[in-house]
Amino acid sequence: MKESKWSDEQLQELLSQMPKIKDNRDPREIYQNIEIKMGKQKKRTWILPAAAVAAALLLLFILAPNLMNWQESADKHVEIQSDQTQSSEQITSDNNSISEAKDEESDPEPLAREEDPQEDHVQLSGDPEKESNDDISMKSVSSEISPTAVYEEDLAGKEFLTYAIPDKEAQNIVPVSVLVDDDPDRSKFALFEDTMSKLTEDAWGLEEYYPLKANLSYNQENNILTVDVPVDHPYSMSSTAELLLEKVLANIMNNLDIEKIDLRTEGKVGIEFSHYGYREEFIPENSTGNLIYYFLYPNGADSTPFLVPIREELNSVKDALKAMKQNRTENNLQASIPDDIDFEIEEIKDSKLIIRFNNESEIIDNASTLHAIEAILLTAKDFDFDTVKLENADVDKIGKFDLTEELKVPVAANKRDLPN
């Protein structure tokens, strides 16, 4: 900055030459004007802050209800989670208590269990699904499982027809019974012939065998049935085919009370068989022994079994029931009486059979026991018993069977429904 050329004396002289300024206003007026100006500046300073405060209050008023609802919802959510946690802990605690109680009840010898910890582990880690299935099988089957045989009460306005049907392996002849409307104007043979085409053997797991590949005519006066086959009939293709036809015809004679069967080939007397040779009539073999019934499961073990008869020469019904506890593997048949069911047999006059179960035998109201009872009843029928009394059972009723009463033997085995 440059140094000034004016001296102090020169400046004083210059200022003294300037005109004098005088203010004639009253000092109080000057002070009042200054105070007014300062008040206006202060008011303008507070306008913006005041507006900001008002806007904030308005925004708070708008948002406050939503904030309160959100807080209430959050509190409820936390409360629900807390309740659920407490409930889960309570259920877990209860289940543990129940499990411990069951373990104590089912294990009266804890010391013996400690000796084999591996066995104890297996018992505690059982399959829940299996346990559930076992519980279901233990339930009463009174309203779920129907008897498989035909009984007197089934015949109200009905006629039963029994067909001998081979299984798919041609090992067994299965008697299958169906119910049709009774028609007084028609013979039982006419109903039998008309119903052959309605059978559903394949759906039942059996061989498609009906209707027979032959014309059937029945002379009711002479009680003679004529079987007329075509030249290319299928009943001479093998010894098995000839044997099956023989068994089927024998069952027809027995079920329809026919005395004789004449054989024809397209109207000419006789049928030429490749193994049996030429035959003009069918003469069934003299049957000896009695029929005892076993289980056949053509549609799997979970399906309803067929009760299949096997003719055996036995000394008594007791021997027959004992034999029914053994499988017949050569015929693919299973035992119809469980091996762990033991009983005593008592034969009484008037065609009454008493079966008294041992105390160790567990008799349960389920499907397998019901089917076993039917096998016993059918076998008792072939030994000329009319009723069977089951005593000392663990239950009073199995399916439809009231064990406190005498049980009537069935009319026929293996009832199946026809399609509508």
Side-chain angles (χ1 to χ4, degrees):
M1 184 177 178
K2 291 184 180 183
E3 200 175 315
S4 177
K5 295 180 181 182
W6 301 87
S7 62
D8 293 338
E9 291 80 5
Q10 291 176 335
L11 290 173
Q12 290 179 357
E13 185 179 356
L14 180 62
L15 292 172
S16 64
Q17 296 177 0
M18 294 182 64
K20 295 181 178 181
I21 299 174
K22 292 182 179 182
D23 190 355
N24 297 323
R25 294 178 299 176
D26 185 46
R28 287 177 296 182
E29 181 181 358
I30 295 173
Y31 177 77
Q32 187 176 5
N33 291 334
I34 294 172
E35 188 178 25
I36 291 172
K37 289 182 179 180
M38 291 181 64
K40 289 182 178 180
Q41 289 178 352
K42 288 181 180 180
K43 289 182 180 179
R44 286 196 299 267
T45 304
W46 284 100
I47 289 175
L48 288 178
V53 171
L57 291 174
L58 178 61
L59 183 61
L60 181 62
F61 178 75
I62 294 173
L63 296 180
N66 293 333
L67 292 174
M68 292 176 65
N69 292 337
W70 176 84
Q71 181 64 31
E72 183 179 358
S73 175
D75 293 341
K76 288 183 178 180
H77 180 68
V78 172
E79 183 180 356
I80 291 173
Q81 285 185 336
S82 177
D83 292 342
Q84 290 178 344
T85 302
Q86 294 176 1
S87 177
S88 299
E89 293 175 354
Q90 182 66 28
I91 292 173
T92 302
S93 176
D94 293 343
N95 288 339
N96 291 337
S97 300
I98 294 173
S99 176
E100 292 175 0
K102 287 184 177 179
D103 291 341
E104 292 177 0
E105 292 177 0
S106 61
D107 192 0
E109 299 180 3
L111 294 178
R113 189 178 64 181
E114 291 178 358
E115 295 177 1
D116 193 351
Q118 183 176 1
E119 180 181 356
D120 181 51
H121 175 73
V122 172
Q123 292 176 352
L124 293 178
S125 59
D127 187 356
E129 182 177 356
K130 181 179 179 181
E131 292 174 1
S132 177
N133 292 336
D134 291 342
D135 291 341
I136 293 174
S137 65
M138 294 287 287
K139 293 181 179 179
S140 173
V141 297
S142 300
S143 60
E144 299 177 4
I145 304 298
S146 299
T148 65
V150 180
Y151 297 86
E152 286 185 2
E153 56 266 28
D154 299 325
L155 300 181
K158 298 289 184 179
E159 179 67 83
F160 77 94
L161 306 171
T162 301
Y163 295 85
I165 306 176
D167 63 9
K168 288 187 178 295
E169 288 72 29
Q171 290 180 299
N172 304 286
I173 293 293
V174 182
V176 178
S177 302
V178 298
L179 296 176
V180 297
D181 293 333
D182 190 15
D183 188 348
D185 297 331
R186 307 190 66 196
S187 66
K188 189 171 183 177
F189 172 79
L191 296 174
F192 181 90
E193 187 177 19
D194 290 346
T195 309
M196 284 195 298
S197 60
K198 300 178 183 179
L199 303 180
T200 56
E201 300 100 310
D202 187 64
W204 297 333
L206 304 176
E207 183 68 21
E208 291 279 359
Y209 201 81
Y210 292 89
L212 297 176
K213 308 301 187 292
N215 292 323
L216 305 179
S217 58
Y218 176 59
N219 187 323
Q220 192 168 357
E221 293 181 1
N222 299 324
N223 201 16
I224 296 176
L225 174 65
T226 300
V227 178
D228 192 351
V229 300
V231 175
D232 57 348
H233 66 87
Y235 304 117
S236 185
M237 299 177 61
S238 64
S239 58
T240 300
E242 295 178 8
L243 179 61
L244 290 178
L245 178 64
E246 181 180 12
K247 291 183 177 181
V248 168
L249 294 179
N251 275 270
I252 291 176
M253 291 186 68
N254 180 62
N255 294 328
L256 299 179
D257 295 325
I258 294 174
E259 294 183 1
K260 180 183 178 183
I261 295 181
D262 288 337
L263 303 179
R264 299 286 188 271
T265 302
E266 294 187 352
K268 298 180 180 180
V269 176
I271 298 178
E272 185 68 39
F273 293 98
S274 59
H275 296 83
Y276 288 164
Y278 178 79
R279 288 188 175 183
E280 294 184 357
E281 63 180 61
F282 172 72
I283 301 176
E285 296 181 357
N286 292 328
S287 299
T288 58
N290 296 91
L291 297 177
I292 58 178
Y293 286 79
Y294 293 86
F295 288 161
L296 174 67
Y297 293 91
N299 290 327
D302 294 332
S303 63
T304 301
F306 284 103
L307 297 176
V308 178
I310 296 293
R311 189 170 294 278
E312 294 281 354
E313 293 188 19
L314 302 167
N315 295 325
S316 64
V317 67
K318 181 177 181 179
D319 293 338
L321 297 179
K322 183 178 179 181
M324 291 162 60
K325 300 175 71 173
Q326 305 296 325
N327 295 331
R328 297 292 293 260
T329 56
E330 69 277 11
N331 295 92
N332 196 28
L333 299 176
Q334 297 187 22
S336 53
I337 300 178
D339 187 54
D340 58 351
I341 293 182
D342 295 321
F343 44 80
E344 299 294 333
I345 301 296
E346 181 180 348
E347 300 182 30
I348 301 180
K349 296 179 180 180
D350 300 327
S351 302
K352 178 180 177 180
L353 175 67
I354 294 180
I355 297 178
R356 187 174 295 105
F357 296 108
N358 294 348
N359 294 331
E360 294 78 12
S361 300
E362 187 177 9
I363 309 301
I364 303 173
D365 181 10
N366 59 16
S368 60
T369 305
L370 183 142
H371 297 148
I373 291 177
E374 290 197 288
I376 293 173
L377 294 176
L378 287 166
T379 301
K381 177 185 178 181
D382 205 69
F383 279 85
D384 298 325
F385 290 101
D386 294 330
T387 61
V388 176
K389 182 67 172 67
L390 302 177
E391 296 183 349
N392 197 34
D394 297 326
V395 294
D396 292 334
K397 195 170 185 179
I398 296 179
K400 62 157 279 183
F401 298 119
D402 186 356
L403 303 190
T404 64
E405 302 290 339
E406 296 178 6
L407 306 180
K408 292 183 178 181
V409 298
V411 176
N414 301 315
K415 180 177 66 176
R416 293 297 186 270
D417 295 327
L418 295 173
N420 297 327

